Amino acid sequence: MSQKSVCFIGAGNMTRSIVSGLINSGYAPQLISVTNPSQPKLQSMATEFGVHTFQNNLDGATLADIIVLSVKPQLMQAVCEQLSGLDLSKKLILTIAAGVTTQRYRDYLKQPIKLIRTMPNTPTQIGMGLTGLFASEDVSYEHKRLAEQLMKTGGEIVWVEQEHELNDVIALAGSSPAYFFLFMEAMVESATKKGMDEHKARQMAQQAALGAAQMVKHNSEISLAQLRLNVTSKGGTTAQAIETFEKGNLRDLVDNAMTNCIARAEEMTEQF
């Protein structure tokens, strides 16, 4: 697929991770531009990746084939209204923001647009991420492939059929790295309370988590329940730990947490 000119509006961590992935995959840096009001962030991007930088959003977006809106939801309306005077009919717009719907973007930009919403998670920064994507019916096959080309540099992608399903992506993939960090944090805290060196405890917890994730990925034909049972000898140490989690209603707690995550995403849809 031919490379298109891309302008990222916003120079935060997600922009940096996607740009890094693009450059590492062979994307031409001269086709990439980044805009941001902060000159130090732009200078860092230019020095590290050799991309074009602009402090004015219009300067970067005018000549781009693809515009990636990578700013916080509360800033999205102002940014879109800055771009609303451009002819966007031949441009593809990608967004990286929770809570802002496709219709809201159309309202902000005041014209018909070809838009794909994306929902990446933070492991995208190291090429191990998961990005959910949603495209409205007027987006072409070619534009979907362009979006895939950009987002696959950060890891795996999953398309959803209905826009509201992006909220499920947020709960299951977008926010979930924090769930695992919390669980690992609690494990390390428990180990250090019992006298273990914190560095060693973290090393063990992170390697166990990495190994468990890889076992899940490389044994897709085996259910998660069976993988758990394979580690859990009857009457053994693991069984005792699992029984404690079950008595503490871990499953209900996880279900409640994900339900509340989705509810907050739905609230943001009304807010922004």
Side-chain angles (χ1 to χ4, degrees):
M1 182 178 292
S2 61
Q3 296 183 353
K4 303 289 186 179
S5 58
V6 187
C7 175
F8 291 83
I9 308 294
N13 290 335
M14 197 56 69
T15 289
R16 176 175 288 276
S17 66
I18 297 172
V19 169
S20 176
L22 288 173
I23 298 298
N24 290 335
S25 68
Y27 214 94
Q30 61 269 26
L31 292 177
I32 301 172
S33 62
V34 179
T35 74
N36 198 75
S38 169
Q39 185 59 40
K41 282 189 175 182
L42 293 179
Q43 185 60 51
S44 174
M45 296 286 290
T47 301
E48 185 172 354
F49 302 115
V51 299
H52 301 293
T53 61
F54 303 94
Q55 286 185 282
N56 186 299
N57 293 336
L58 286 174
D59 290 341
T62 299
L63 299 177
D65 297 310
I66 304 170
I67 299 172
V68 183
L69 301 175
S70 182
V71 299
K72 295 178 180 179
Q74 57 266 35
L75 300 177
M76 196 62 78
Q77 180 175 359
V79 167
C80 287
E81 288 177 350
Q82 289 175 1
L83 303 178
S84 62
L86 294 179
D87 179 4
L88 301 173
S89 61
K90 296 182 180 180
K91 300 180 187 293
L92 172 64
I93 300 174
L94 270 62
T95 76
I96 303 173
V100 187
T101 65
T102 299
Q103 185 56 53
R104 197 64 57 84
Y105 285 107
R106 290 176 178 144
D107 294 341
Y108 291 160
L109 291 165
K110 301 178 175 64
Q111 59 187 293
I113 52 174
K114 300 175 180 67
L115 181 135
I116 296 176
R117 288 186 61 194
T118 76
M119 198 55 57
N121 63 8
T122 54
T124 298
Q125 298 172 22
I126 58 171
M128 296 290 291
L130 186 286
T131 299
L133 302 99
F134 168 78
S136 53
E137 294 180 356
D138 55 348
V139 174
S140 68
Y141 175 85
E142 180 185 3
H143 280 146
K144 289 181 180 179
R145 299 292 80 80
L146 284 173
E148 289 182 358
Q149 181 184 14
L150 293 180
M151 304 311 295
K152 276 185 176 179
T153 62
E156 298 184 7
I157 64 167
V158 174
W159 286 95
V160 298
E161 296 298 322
Q162 303 294 327
E163 187 166 11
H164 68 83
E165 292 179 288
L166 283 178
N167 294 336
D168 299 328
V169 173
I170 293 172
L172 189 58
S175 297
S176 64
Y179 314 162
F180 297 117
F181 297 152
L182 177 62
F183 195 85
M184 293 167 68
E185 181 184 356
M187 290 174 63
V188 171
E189 285 179 356
S190 176
T192 56
K193 283 180 183 178
K194 296 170 177 57
M196 181 175 287
D197 174 76
E198 184 176 353
H199 175 75
K200 290 181 180 179
R202 172 167 172 157
Q203 182 182 15
M204 292 184 189
Q206 69 191 28
Q207 188 60 34
L210 179 62
Q214 288 296 325
M215 286 190 70
V216 170
K217 186 170 184 178
H218 292 292
N219 293 279
S220 59
E221 75 286 357
I222 303 176
S223 70
L224 293 172
Q226 187 60 53
L227 286 171
R228 171 177 53 79
L229 289 171
N230 290 347
V231 189
T232 312
S233 300
K234 187 175 182 180
T237 56
T238 306
Q240 190 66 46
I242 295 296
E243 182 181 349
T244 304
F245 286 132
E246 296 286 17
K247 285 182 176 178
N249 294 319
L250 177 63
R251 296 172 190 270
D252 288 343
L253 188 61
V254 171
D255 181 53
N256 288 338
M258 293 180 64
T259 298
N260 289 335
C261 183
I262 293 170
R264 176 55 184 150
E266 292 171 348
E267 287 176 3
M268 292 175 68
T269 298
E270 299 299 322
Q271 184 176 356
F272 301 112

